Amino acid sequence: MRGWDELDVILFSGDAYVDHPSFGAAVIGRILESQGLKVALIPQPNWRDDLRDFKKLGRPRLFFGVSAGCMDSMVNKYTANKRLRSEDAYTPDGRHDMRPEYPSIVYTRILKRLYPDVPVVVGGIEASLRRLTHYDYWQDKVLPSILADSEADLLIYGMGEKPVTELSRRMQAENKIPHDIPQTAYLTSNDKPEPLQGFEDLILFSHEECLRDKKKQAENFRHIEEESNKYTAARILQRVNSHTVVVNPPFPPMTQSELDMSFDLPYTRLPHPKYKGKRIPAYEMIKFSVNIHRGCFGGCAFCTISAHQGKFIVSRSKESILKEVKAITEMPDFKGYLSDLGGPSANMYQMGGKDENLCRRCKRPSCIHPKICPNLNTDHRPLLDLYRSADAIPGIKKSFIGSGVRYDLLLHESKDESVNRSAAEYTRELIVRHVSGRLKVAPEHTSDRVLNLMRKPSFELFYRFKRIFDTLNRELNLRQQIIPYFISSHPGCTEEDMAELAAITKRLDFHLEQVQDFTPTPMTVATETWYTGYHPYTLEPVYSAKTQKEKLAQRMFFFWYKPEERRAIISELKRMGRNDLINKLYGR
């Protein structure tokens, strides 16, 4: 139909194909297309038959691109208790058998077997977070860089627009895979790879040393996280068997115009027509939502956002966002309600360092923990202006905020009184105009000791925020709920901490439903602490609930109000000698 006799790039994805800027495969495909390349995408290829899906479009002129999808495949397939999930949100009708475990490895090996001379480039969250030696919870072992297991020629980490654009440009000029592109990683048999001009090398403990000594794995992680959060990072080298993994430093953060360009590509915003009549759960969730920025400076210990997107906020222009909102109003089934006007965090739009030179020298993983950086601009006025402009567009009845709100930013007392007024005004407007009946926030725990390990603010701030929420609801006769999100079994958390959490949340009249058992995912400080038993920054020992029995014993305290949990909880509290908590939970 297009009159093409060959393709330049063929992309394979573990997700169903949705042509929308929230789906990575669509973004990379559209970016390459905008460079004038002929691009094809093969979603969820069958890896169990005669491999016809891998052969049907032949060999590309430049390279194959492989991504497991928008989630790490193992998080996608299994619960924290390693049980198979009942639904895959990125697959038509939620089927859970449409992708293998570790698609980045499975797809790449197949392509290398079929077309040994064609370069294969891996990217997406699974490859990005497994670029160096990492702990894999599902196999319960330390694995080497995914480059070693997949046989890929190159790995792109982080958000891929800039590296994939540079890669396609260089490959057309040089007809080979270049090894000096920022934000890429590769495997070499060379002990000492050629220096990268202008950058220092940081040499990690080898994969084999990490297998022998957990403390060395913990030490490595501190360096990896710090380099991920620096403006000017070092090149990272790590020996694996007889090879060296080389991770080039990242590109500088995208500019606003670069980010706008990515979001303004001609997406149809729809699933591919081949899925007609089928429901793709992840698409249904974001169908009427708009992503307003990239990056997160929260640095939460259990979260991979900053490891993948970086801590520096890149915000879209107001014009680009409103253009997308207008496009949504023209969708045939849109009823006037935006489900989210947010991002990795709800309220970090247009925030960053007041003096960028200080940011360039900083390697803190979080700009707001243990306290909010005095150099951080926390002005909520640009966000307020954006909300009001979006709500003024014809066809918009209401815009809701579905992303997580950082109430520590709202309650922060700046030296600039106008910034404090904007935070108070934002808080009021958020609660009064942008809550769809239930406002989700994530205190994560009630113990300040555990919260400190999580890099989250004190629970005292949650009390303050809840008082504001309740006062406004009473004043304006609104019948809204605040829905807190909590995690059990996080490193440092004991059963007693969970028992205290149960008593505190009961006193606040919460019957918890938004809860999660901590799942160790690759490349987070919490995972490395959980696996090694040492905190990577202090190398001090940290307790973690490891066995299923220990994890379930913590989790049951979330559900103190369920009759079936009562006997076990009372028995456990007696064993701890905490009769006072029995009275608080079950006394008259």
Side-chain angles (χ1 to χ4, degrees):
M1 283 171 70
R2 288 178 180 249
W4 296 351
D5 51 17
E6 78 169 341
L7 290 150
D8 296 316
V9 178
I10 301 175
L11 303 174
F12 286 83
S13 170
D15 291 342
Y17 184 58
V18 181
D19 190 24
H20 187 286
S22 291
F23 291 77
V27 176
I28 298 303
R30 290 293 185 187
I31 282 280
L32 290 167
E33 180 192 44
S34 73
Q35 308 300 310
L37 297 176
K38 300 183 182 83
V39 187
L41 195 131
I42 300 176
Q44 300 189 315
N46 190 339
W47 74 99
R48 290 174 289 208
D49 62 2
D50 59 3
L51 307 180
R52 67 187 68 181
D53 283 349
F54 293 88
K55 301 172 191 170
K56 64 187 176 185
L57 294 177
R59 62 181 63 231
R61 184 171 66 91
L62 298 178
F63 60 88
F64 287 112
V66 168
S67 167
C70 291
M71 286 175 74
D72 185 277
S73 65
M74 302 308 279
V75 179
N76 187 292
K77 285 180 88 74
Y78 296 99
T79 67
N81 277 324
K82 301 186 184 178
R83 292 201 179 115
L84 201 61
R85 291 190 191 276
S86 56
E87 183 175 83
D88 179 335
Y90 292 88
T91 297
D93 292 336
R95 281 183 60 173
H96 57 72
D97 59 348
M98 294 294 284
R99 75 177 85 216
E101 295 179 356
Y102 313 103
S104 308
I105 296 172
V106 174
Y107 296 169
T108 303
R109 283 181 177 172
I110 290 169
L111 290 167
K112 291 308 286 183
R113 199 161 72 241
L114 294 174
Y115 306 100
D117 56 329
V118 180
V120 179
V121 180
V122 290
I125 194 105
E126 180 166 276
S128 179
L129 301 184
R130 295 169 181 267
R131 58 189 182 259
L132 290 155
T133 292
H134 58 281
Y135 172 69
D136 185 277
Y137 172 65
W138 299 273
Q139 293 186 47
D140 190 24
K141 63 198 268 195
V142 172
L143 299 178
S145 164
I146 201 167
L147 283 162
D149 283 338
S150 68
E151 304 163 29
D153 298 276
L154 194 73
L155 181 153
I156 288 176
Y157 67 91
M159 305 305 271
E161 292 102 325
K162 287 175 88 166
V164 84
T165 300
E166 181 65 7
L167 173 65
S168 63
R169 186 187 69 76
R170 290 278 299 277
M171 282 197 72
Q172 288 179 90
E174 300 163 21
N175 203 26
K176 64 175 186 179
I177 288 265
H179 285 152
D180 57 350
I181 295 176
Q183 221 166 299
T184 63
Y186 63 94
L187 201 60
T188 175
S189 53
N190 197 337
D191 275 11
K192 292 180 180 171
E194 267 186 55
L196 193 61
Q197 213 169 352
F199 292 95
E200 294 175 13
D201 281 349
L202 172 67
I203 300 170
L204 299 178
F205 291 114
S206 71
H207 176 66
E208 288 71 29
E209 285 176 290
C210 292
L211 290 177
R212 290 192 295 270
D213 186 344
K214 288 183 175 182
K215 203 173 257 192
K216 286 182 175 170
Q217 171 67 7
E219 243 178 290
N220 267 3
F221 184 77
R222 176 179 182 169
H223 296 304
I224 294 166
E225 186 179 51
E226 285 181 341
E227 296 308 312
S228 298
N229 286 307
K230 280 162 72 171
Y231 246 93
T232 308
R235 183 174 74 161
I236 297 175
L237 308 181
Q238 185 184 33
R239 291 293 286 171
V240 179
N241 301 324
S242 55
H243 289 74
T244 303
V245 176
V246 182
V247 179
N248 291 331
F251 273 102
M254 291 174 94
T255 62
Q256 185 172 84
S257 59
E258 286 171 335
L259 187 60
D260 281 356
M261 190 275 283
S262 177
F263 275 90
D264 292 346
L265 292 166
Y267 304 99
T268 64
R269 299 186 63 85
L270 298 169
H272 191 276
K274 77 182 222 167
Y275 306 124
K276 191 174 180 184
K278 294 185 176 175
R279 181 184 67 94
I280 299 172
Y283 171 68
E284 296 299 322
M285 192 177 85
I286 57 85
K287 191 175 183 180
F288 303 130
S289 72
V290 179
N291 186 353
I292 63 176
H293 77 265
R294 273 214 191 138
C296 179
F297 49 67
C300 299
F302 47 82
C303 181
T304 58
I305 291 172
S306 63
H308 188 66
Q309 294 194 12
K311 74 174 181 183
F312 298 105
I313 302 297
V314 184
S315 298
R316 295 170 66 185
S317 69
K318 181 179 164 184
E319 293 70 32
S320 172
I321 294 165
L322 296 182
K323 184 176 158 190
E324 187 175 351
V325 173
K326 282 173 188 159
I328 290 174
T329 64
E330 289 159 16
M331 292 174 75
D333 50 350
F334 181 66
K335 303 285 193 295
Y337 299 97
L338 281 180
S339 58
D340 190 18
L341 203 53
S345 183
N347 55 319
M348 291 184 183
Y349 181 71
Q350 299 282 25
M351 291 185 185
K354 289 178 267 197
D355 179 352
E356 208 175 270
N357 291 322
L358 292 177
C359 295
R360 287 177 186 275
R361 298 198 297 272
C362 175
K363 59 181 183 181
R364 270 176 63 175
S366 170
C367 304
I368 52 181
H369 186 270
K371 60 181 184 182
I372 291 175
C373 174
N375 187 46
L376 182 67
N377 158 33
T378 58
D379 191 351
H380 283 75
R381 278 173 290 194
L383 196 48
L384 272 167
D385 176 52
L386 180 65
Y387 289 177
R388 289 163 184 169
S389 299
D391 285 351
I393 290 173
I396 297 291
K397 294 175 185 171
K398 212 170 175 89
S399 57
F400 297 119
I401 308 307
S403 304
V405 176
R406 290 296 306 224
Y407 50 79
D408 46 349
L409 286 174
L410 298 178
L411 299 170
H412 173 59
E413 290 183 17
S414 165
K415 288 177 181 170
D416 183 339
E417 205 42 55
S418 64
V419 168
N420 293 338
R421 280 196 302 273
S422 79
E425 192 180 349
Y426 175 86
T427 305
R428 183 180 181 89
E429 184 140 334
L430 169 75
I431 294 168
V432 174
R433 294 184 56 83
H434 300 285
V435 175
S436 61
R438 312 172 96 200
L439 177 65
K440 291 180 184 176
V441 292
E444 309 293 6
H445 214 285
T446 55
S447 157
D448 282 353
R449 182 181 48 77
V450 177
L451 286 165
N452 191 45
L453 284 164
M454 291 177 162
R455 297 185 183 146
K456 294 289 283 187
S458 165
F459 196 67
E460 181 54 41
L461 289 185
F462 176 77
Y463 282 127
R464 282 175 56 195
F465 182 72
K466 186 177 182 302
R467 281 197 292 271
I468 294 167
F469 183 87
D470 292 343
T471 302
L472 277 171
N473 272 273
R474 268 196 313 274
E475 275 177 19
L476 300 166
N477 201 24
L478 299 170
R479 302 183 68 179
Q480 297 180 153
Q481 289 177 289
I482 195 165
I483 307 294
Y485 196 99
F486 290 99
I487 295 179
S488 59
S489 302
H490 189 277
C493 177
T494 63
E495 272 185 66
E496 198 161 346
D497 292 320
M498 292 303 298
E500 296 270 9
L501 182 151
I504 290 168
T505 54
K506 184 197 174 183
R507 193 171 72 236
L508 289 167
D509 200 24
F510 288 128
H511 282 197
L512 299 181
E513 48 187 82
Q514 296 285 320
V515 297
Q516 184 188 330
D517 190 6
F518 171 68
T519 306
T521 54
M523 213 166 168
T524 68
V525 69
T527 295
E528 297 304 328
T529 306
W530 190 89
Y531 160 68
T532 64
Y534 301 101
H535 194 285
Y537 283 73
T538 62
L539 296 182
E540 289 175 1
V542 178
Y543 164 78
S544 292
K546 290 282 185 81
T547 66
Q548 193 169 11
K549 185 182 174 188
E550 288 171 329
K551 286 164 83 70
L552 290 172
Q554 290 206 15
R555 185 181 167 80
M556 72 179 176
F557 282 103
F558 285 140
F559 307 111
W560 58 268
Y561 55 88
K562 293 187 175 180
E564 62 267 29
E565 300 288 2
R566 181 171 176 154
R567 180 187 284 179
I569 287 174
I570 290 174
S571 167
E572 202 56 30
L573 289 172
K574 280 180 178 170
R575 187 190 65 77
M576 288 182 209
R578 294 300 305 266
N579 287 345
D580 59 318
L581 291 179
I582 297 175
N583 290 333
K584 284 179 182 176
L585 288 174
Y586 301 114
R588 291 189 178 280

